[in-house]
Structures are given as structure tokens and as C-alpha cells.
Amino acid sequence: MESKALTNKIKILSKNLIKPSISFPTSKNEHHPKNYKLSFFDQFACQIHVPCVLLYPLKYSMFSFTKNSIIHEQLEQSLSKLLTHVYTAAGRFAVDGQSIDCHDEGVLYIKAKVECKLDNFLKDAQKDIDLAMHFCPKIDRDASNLSTTPLVVVQVTEFDCGGLALSVSTKHAVIDGFTALKFVYEWSKVSKTGIISDKDCFTYDDLGTIFPARDNHLSKIVKSPRDNDHEFVETISRKFVIYESAISRLREIVGVACFKPSRVELVIALFWRSLINVSQRKNNGCLRPSLLIVPMNLRDKINFPKYKNSFGNFAIEVPVKFIPGETRMELQDIVQLLRDVIQKTSISFAKASDDIIFSSAAKFHEEIKEWKKNEQVDVCMASSLCRFPINELDFGWGKPCLTTFGLRRRDMFWLYDTECGTGIVVQADLKQGYMNMFQCDQGVLTFTCQ
């Protein structure tokens, strides 16, 4: 199925706002403040909506004309219940851009239908996972509309003869990857059981007070030269699976004596090295510097238990720099480079003061911005979602049969667990000219399956 043909087959049926089942203010939710102050972690995040798409193979008998309205009702009611406790997700940016007004404006819920059978779509998606991006909601990206744009947008698309695509798009300037995935996970539990088992699924420690934004930065978003919408390079996606046996072989080959590399370190190093190899071939044998950006969730790094389930952005982007002549191209050297930078960062943040955390995060931000300015540097990102309950997102009709993430706007590796939990799936978003060569790289061919 061609991309354009699928677009023409999708019809929007309705749009409405889902609000918390208990509106603010009431005596039952006195903890619900009117305003949520943003932090300096939020100020470093991009002003974009980031989507994830989940496909579910509902049987026709389950998703008939009489059943589909029940399922929508189930999704809407469970979302409304969750928003009572995750109230910030139903808010809007304040006019000053420094905080979120929490007046229960709601999450935008879009119903859609596609003239296509899920089985047929899945066959096509095996060859072109990017087809699933057509089920993402269309978001108004005009920065001047921040105060009216929902922070969370949901689109539920029904297939002919059963099955649905559930897409959740979240505003990155307020919601990081941990918050987004946990939000979807908590929603799935409420949808399946009808009750909220954990009313404190998120904590609102007001990171904006503990780590306040600096220099009015939120209202003056500073973008690097490669962060403008019109300069993003369009990429395509492919999925690769690295099973436990391949990870064990990788660990044996690396053979680092002083530490045991984690499976995430091994896989990121393998894919980054392969991408560096591709860049070398594309540039007539010239080995170029490469910047790998690794998002680090600070919730399990900073020694404060109350931050464990903090809502919002509580992560930093760590720059890992490959410089020809300083680091060899052997896999063990790439693994060692990655380990050294990530471990050093993790240790330094563990007991750092608020000011040191800010200065370190700001330093990383500036380093990344400077490297991005250099057209002689290759830039990519690797985000690990391993240990997140992605395969457990069951809204009451089973687990997803297909999952995809992101906007396809940069060279990116998304890592998440295989269903058995011992292997890793990698969604690689790369420029098309690079992808064709990347799939044929010896390291990728040796250790992965597609």
C-alpha cells in the first residue's frame, strides 16, 4: 500500500475534549493546584509533539458496529478517570510560557476510520513501518498557539472488520519519554480494570520550584541550526531484533575485562559503530566525527526517592563524542567510550547540588548545540526504552501487535524489549541513503534479524 493511498483512506469521524471526571476545584481533589510551574529541564526540551502508535488486532465480533462505541466509551471514561489524578496532562501552556494552567481544559480525543483491513495493513507495515505514522493525529505546530494547543492528543482509528490503531501524541516541552509511556501504561490499566489502582502514579514535587527555569529561557526557546522544522531531514524507519544469543556473542567479542557491558550498551555501540561505518563509505573513506546524544532519565540517578515518579521532564541529553584518532573503531573501544561517558555522568549527578545539576545540564546543552552547528559532524540519538512496560499496554483487548515511535525527523535509534524481555528491538530512523547501506553493514547483518 502506498503512503498517499493510505492517507486518502483515513476519515476523521469526530473530535472532542476528554476532561477529568472530577473537575477542578472540588473538595475531593484539594491537592490539584491551578498552576504547574515548569523547570529548567523543560526549558531544554523541544517544542514538539512526540507520538507513539499502537496497533491492536481486535476480532470482528469484538469490534462490530455495536461494540466499537462501547470500546470508545471505555477508552474515554478511563482516560477521564486518569486525568483526575494526572491533571497537568489536561492543562494548557500559560500565556507567559513559564507554567501550565491546570483548569481541566482536557485531552483532545479524535475518532477516525480507515478503509483497510488490519491484516492487510500489517503485511504492508512489515516492509514499511512508516505507514503507521498516518494514524498519528495532525498537530498544529504554530508556537503562537501554545496556550490553546492540548498537551496530549489521542487518535483512535478503526480498521475494517476489526482492529484499531491507538496513537498518543504528547508535548515534549512538558512531558518526557518516561512520563509519556507511564501515562499510556496507567491509562491502559484503568481501561482494562475500570479502577485506578495507583492514585499517586505520578508525583508533583514541583520540579519548577526545586529546579527553576533560568533566564526566562522557556519563553525564548533557543534552537540549534538543525532544530528548525524546515531543516529537519526526512528519514525512514526499519526494525531490527537482537536476540539474547546475539547479545551474548557480542559480549564475548567485546571481552572487556574491567566491566560487563549491559545489553543496552552493547546494542547502542553496535548500531552507532555501523552508522559511523556507513558515513565513512558515504564520504569517500573519510572518517568523520560523530556525536551520539543519549537521553538519561534522572529519576533513578538522583538520590531522592520522591523523584521516582515525577511528572514532567526530568532527563538530560548526554553527548558522547567519537573523534577520529582519539577512539579506535573496534567495537570494544566504542563500548568503552559509551560506558565511560554515561557512568561518569551518572555518578556526578547522583549526589550533586541543584546548581551543579543545572550547570552540567546547561553545559551538555551548549556542547550539543555547538557540535550540531558543525556540518562536518554526524549527529544521531539513541534512546533506550528498555524496562518500560511497552509490551504490557493492554487496554482490555490484549497486547499491541505493532508499536512505533517518533517523528522521523533525525537519525535516531529507539531501543525496547522483545516480548520475552531478554532481547532488544531497535527502531532505526535514518536518512534513506544511509538506511540502504546501514542494512547491509556487516555488524548489522551478523547480529540482527529484521
Side-chain angles (χ1 to χ4, degrees), residues 320-333:
V320 185
K321 305 165 188 173
F322 170 81
I323 301 174
E326 292 187 11
T327 302
R328 296 189 307 164
M329 276 294 290
E330 299 300 321
L331 184 59
Q332 56 263 41
D333 294 292

Side-chain angles (χ1 to χ4, degrees), residues 182-199:
K182 185 170 175 59
F183 178 85
V184 178
Y185 177 59
E186 296 297 334
W187 180 20
S188 71
K189 290 197 298 182
V190 179
S191 175
K192 184 175 182 179
T193 65
I195 59 173
I196 296 181
S197 58
D198 183 7
K199 294 182 179 180

Side-chain angles (χ1 to χ4, degrees), residues 29 37 55 61-62 115 133 138 145 164-165 226-227 240 280 285 287 321 323 338 340 363 397 424 435 448:
N29 61 343
K37 188 177 180 182
L55 271 70
S61 59
M62 221 182 135
E115 296 176 5
M133 297 301 292
K138 302 297 184 289
N145 291 335
L164 63 81
R226 299 189 191 182
D227 280 343
F240 303 86
Q280 184 177 22
L287 194 59
K321 305 165 188 173
I323 301 174
L338 183 63
D340 288 347
K363 178 176 177 287
W397 45 79
I424 292 178
M435 180 64 80
T448 74

